[in-house]
Structure formats: C-alpha cells, structure tokens
Amino acid sequence: QVQLQESGPGLVKPSETLSLTCSVSGNSITYYYWSWIRQPPGKRLEWVASSSYVGSTDYNPSLMSRVTISIDTSKNQFSLNLMSVTAADTAVYFCARLYSSGKFDHWGQGILVTVSS
Amino acid sequence: EIVLTQSPGTLSLSPGERATLSCRASHTVTSNYLAWYQQKPGQAPRLLIYGAANRATGIPDRFSGSGSGADFTLTISSLEPEDFAVYYCQRYGTSPQITFGGGTKVEIK
C-alpha cells in the first residue's frame, strides 16, 4: 500500500522560503513521477511541480521562477522549495504520485502552510 | 494555457438521484488525458476516473466518465449519502503540464 506523508513548518514569514518534504512508503521512489499540488483555502487545486527520480522536472509556469522540486532516493523522499513567499502562497500543500496517463492515484493527507509575519 | 470550466458550480440533489457534472476544456485534451477526483472537507482528493472513462481501483460502478476532445462528463447514477462532496476534473498535457477545473459541489437538497 503506497502512502505519502507531508512534513514541514506550518507557518512561514513573508519573503522567506517555504520548504516541505514528502516521505513515501510502500513504493520505491525510483518509479513514476512525484508531484506537489496546492489548494488555497476555499479555492481550486493548483498543480505546482512534478519530478521523476532521474531529475526530469516540470513546473507550473506561474510559479517556475520561485519553485524547486527535488528527489532524495536514499531516503525515499521528495521535497519542495518555494522562495519569496507572500500571503497568496497560503494553502494546503499535497504531495502525490503521478501515474502514467496523467492521473494522481495516491495522495498525502496535506499540510496547511500559512504565510504570515 | 488550457482552461477547464466545470458546470454547474453547485448541484443540489437528493440521495438516489442522478448527478451529471460537466467539464469543458478551452482546447482539445490530448489522448483523453482527463481525470476526475472527489474531495471531501479536510481530505485529499480521491481519484475516481482516469483516461476520461476508466474507473480507478475500488471505485463503485455508479460512477462513470464519458466524453472526448474538449467535452467530458462525470455521471453518478444514483447518489449515495457518501457521494456529497466536491468534484474536480484535471487534464494532463503540455505547458502547463497539469490543470484542474474549478470544481462542482454536489450538495444535499
């Protein structure tokens, strides 16, 4: 059974960097693509970034200048860094497995990150 | 950028009724790479349908997907109490790779 679990700070100050980690169990991270998706309170889902274990990455163009996704195969984890955050980056951040044909078939429970001083 | 427009925004129905949800893309969705998700409050989305018409593992057969090109539909044949939730469509393609629709809330009438 594949399980994903997000971790990281729940509060980040404006202009700082948001850093989150997703721990994957039940499945080697050396298969599939792995992704971050976010959802501001009361709003729609927004895809942030995806990566394969060999480092093939893809980013949402609206966030590309500020975001980095990386994979640590030794820990079976992947991470998200989002620089220069503002209140607009306040959201629940989900990590997910991106399967072939573009479906997210396994999700973490999500972590609320609030940007506030 | 491909935009996905879902309608209606809210659907008010009673248990046992049929729900029909629409997802319209601003351009053709390549290879029918279109998925549907169910999301309940405080939970992560749950994959229902992928490839426009294929049910995900463990999804009851009252859920069905159809459509092609730029017009897609999710149908719930007979609503169960646990089906009242928000439903999102999502496409996979190129630049940006992935987009989601705005969601349809199915609420109890």
Side-chain angles (χ1 to χ4, degrees):
Chain A
Q1 176 73 3
V2 181
Q3 292 189 314
L4 294 88
Q5 178 69 56
E6 305 90 349
S7 60
L11 181 63
V12 181
K13 290 182 167 53
S15 80
E16 295 190 343
T17 296
L18 180 161
S19 296
L20 297 173
T21 297
C22 182
S23 299
V24 180
S25 59
N27 189 190
S28 172
I29 207 165
T30 56
Y31 297 100
Y32 311 111
Y33 272 70
W34 303 91
S35 302
W36 290 97
I37 298 128
R38 70 180 186 178
Q39 186 172 36
K43 295 190 177 180
R44 74 172 67 188
L45 298 159
E46 179 182 35
W47 168 69
V48 176
S50 297
S51 179
S52 72
Y53 80 99
V54 294
S56 174
T57 56
D58 201 2
Y59 296 103
N60 187 320
S62 68
L63 298 169
M64 182 181 289
S65 63
R66 299 192 291 131
V67 68
T68 304
I69 185 173
S70 59
I71 291 188
D72 186 340
T73 55
S74 66
K75 295 181 179 179
N76 225 44
Q77 295 176 337
F78 63 104
S79 299
L80 175 74
N81 281 334
L82 180 64
M83 300 184 299
S84 304
V85 297
T86 69
D89 295 308
T90 293
V92 175
Y93 286 76
F94 297 99
C95 59
R97 186 176 83 171
L98 178 61
Y99 199 74
S100 60
S101 75
K103 62 186 182 186
F104 293 108
D105 62 344
H106 291 280
W107 295 67
Q109 65 185 23
I111 183 170
L112 173 63
V113 180
T114 301
V115 177
S116 174
S117 56
Chain B
E1 176 180 342
I2 293 182
V3 176
L4 298 181
T5 301
Q6 291 188 240
S7 62
T10 302
L11 202 49
S12 298
L13 295 168
S14 300
E17 289 194 293
R18 182 184 189 88
T20 303
L21 287 67
S22 171
C23 177
R24 201 159 273 180
S26 57
H27 298 85
T28 297
V29 176
T30 306
S31 302
N32 285 344
Y33 282 164
L34 193 288
W36 290 92
Y37 299 85
Q38 176 193 69
Q39 188 179 32
K40 296 180 180 179
Q43 296 185 16
R46 173 194 180 197
L47 176 66
L48 298 175
I49 301 288
Y50 65 94
N54 302 292
R55 266 189 304 278
T57 302
I59 301 303
D61 61 7
R62 64 179 180 273
F63 291 92
S64 63
S66 62
S68 63
D71 274 305
F72 299 89
T73 300
L74 174 71
T75 302
I76 310 171
S77 60
S78 178
L79 283 164
E80 296 288 338
E82 62 268 27
D83 298 337
F84 292 92
V86 179
Y87 293 83
Y88 292 95
C89 58
Q90 170 244 319
R91 55 64 80 171
Y92 173 82
T94 56
S95 193
Q97 190 186 55
I98 294 161
T99 51
F100 289 91
T104 291
K105 181 179 182 180
V106 179
E107 65 176 23
I108 299 176
K109 186 173 181 181

